[in-house]
Amino acid sequence: CNYHVSCTPSAYRLSVGGYSEKLPHLLDVVTSRIASLIEEMKEGDEAHPALVDTFQKAKENLLRQTKNYIFESPYETGSYNLRMLLETPVWHINDYMSEMEGSGAEEEPLTMKECAEVAEQSLFGRTKANSLCIGNIDEKGSQEVADVISNHFLKKRPLIDDEIPRFRSLKMPNKEEAKKIFGAATDVSEVPVVIEGVAHSESEENNAVELLMQTASSYELGYEGLAIQEVIGSMAYNSAFNQLRTKEQLGYIVSAFVKKSMGNGNAFCVLVQSSNTLPPALEERCLRWVEQFRREMEDMPPERFAMEAAAVRANLLEKDIKLAEEVSSAWGEILMTVPHSEHFKNPVFDRVEKFADVLKLDGDEESGVSSIKSAEDLKERVLEFYDRYFLSPERRAVSSRVYNRKAKDLYDENVGKPGVISSYGDARKLKQHLASLPTAPYW
């Protein structure tokens, strides 16, 4: 048997597994030990000196893991900066580190007792719980699990819907909206908003750009829009790799993909990391490829679109082979309902099948979620989608640039210019002007 305890942005997750029929007992033992450990931590440093040493080592390990962000590749830093702008609420990595080191942490250090009190409130205060029993566990065992959860964690009134943490994606501005926000149009890019940063390591030789073009919320796109988006992502990768890496040799990391953000946000991204080309030039080449790929799709026969749709559909319908995969799929569907009100609380376990039905190009059968009936129809819809979100004057695009240390002067020149985000403080200021996308589910 095994168990695992982890912390997510809005919850604790506890899982137990194995071949033994005594898993409910293991869950009871683990949760009882968590409760007793919290009580020991609350008694303070003098009562449990050995536990203090363990706590300090855990805090040092957490700080070290958090600070490893500094050593990430430029493209990873650029992606992180995008997330800090796209999502709300968020806490920057520097905020986490300031809790554990720096002047504030020295004056008011994070104590074992303080952590215990927060953990106690989070675990044993007002909460809501979701559980999944799967595999060979029977109804009696499942009821025992429910009893353990109820006896340990659900002793107080549950959280009401409005108290449950919710994350949202923000709607990025188009050119006209960005001009109104910044007071002038940007003169450093074709893209309305540019996030710039500098690699932390002095020895870092690479630059990176991630060009993000936002589409819409999952609710607004619906099954059909999301499926079309996946087809574009599937088709785009090879084209971007062939053009930007193989032909233009811009860098060894090149990708084009669909990106999803917390709160049902969606976007299409082009990413390049290069040691021989600066971010502004990388961005310009990405934009030119976006236009080129539109021409490539125009020249493709409808049968090519049907092949891509079939490939995406086959990938969606691939069966879970291992129990861990089945658990992940079912648990994912359950978690998708957590932020929603009672109207959307029932998990849609056949959501993926409905999603795949959109791409079933058979005019004789009604899918119920799509009006796409032929390869020609699919091609037309894909091109319409592409033009609307990626080539229109209303395009909502953001470029995340990361310079190596040798190019820091270029970063400094752009600080304070309209449309340029040079720090997390700048990002927070921009976010005050932005609306959030709908969080309602699309199923």
Side-chain angles (χ1 to χ4, degrees), residues 2-13:
N2 60 81
Y3 72 91
H4 182 70
V5 181
S6 60
C7 183
T8 70
S10 60
Y12 282 97
R13 178 176 178 176

Side-chain angles (χ1 to χ4, degrees), residues 87-156:
E87 299 177 4
T88 189
V90 292
W91 294 267
H92 196 272
I93 199 78
N94 293 337
D95 297 330
Y96 286 102
M97 290 191 292
S98 67
E99 291 292 325
M100 294 177 280
E101 71 172 5
S103 58
E106 291 174 1
E107 293 175 5
E108 296 184 37
L110 191 63
T111 66
M112 184 171 70
K113 182 179 179 181
E114 179 185 359
C115 287
E117 290 172 346
V118 172
E120 181 180 47
Q121 178 63 29
S122 300
L123 284 167
F124 306 114
R126 295 184 61 198
T127 62
K128 273 197 172 183
N130 290 276
S131 65
L132 169 66
C133 298
I134 194 170
N136 289 329
I137 189 169
D138 57 17
E139 183 177 351
K140 179 176 180 293
S142 299
Q143 186 58 56
E144 291 175 3
V145 168
D147 292 339
V148 170
I149 294 172
S150 180
N151 293 336
H152 283 282
F153 300 113
L154 304 180
K155 296 180 180 180
K156 296 189 177 181

Side-chain angles (χ1 to χ4, degrees), residues 19 23 157 160 198-199 204 211 281 283 316 318 443:
Y19 296 102
L23 285 182
R157 289 186 298 115
I160 62 174
V198 179
E204 181 60 68
L211 173 65
E283 179 188 296
L316 289 168
E318 186 174 345
W443 51 83

Side-chain angles (χ1 to χ4, degrees), residues 199-245:
H200 294 278
S201 175
E202 294 287 348
S203 60
E204 181 60 68
E205 297 181 352
N206 290 300
N207 305 284
V209 157
E210 183 173 339
L211 173 65
L212 177 143
M213 294 169 288
Q214 194 173 51
T215 54
S217 71
S218 297
Y219 168 73
E220 293 167 307
L221 292 177
Y223 280 107
E224 188 172 300
L226 290 169
I228 289 172
Q229 184 176 251
E230 290 298 326
V231 171
I232 291 173
S234 176
M235 298 174 70
Y237 175 81
N238 288 334
S239 173
F241 190 91
N242 182 56
Q243 179 64 34
L244 300 176
R245 179 179 177 181

Side-chain angles (χ1 to χ4, degrees), residues 356-373:
D357 281 347
V358 175
L359 300 174
K360 189 175 183 179
L361 305 181
D362 188 343
D364 296 331
E365 295 187 21
E366 292 291 335
S367 70
V369 293
S370 174
S371 58
I372 301 174
K373 299 304 176 186

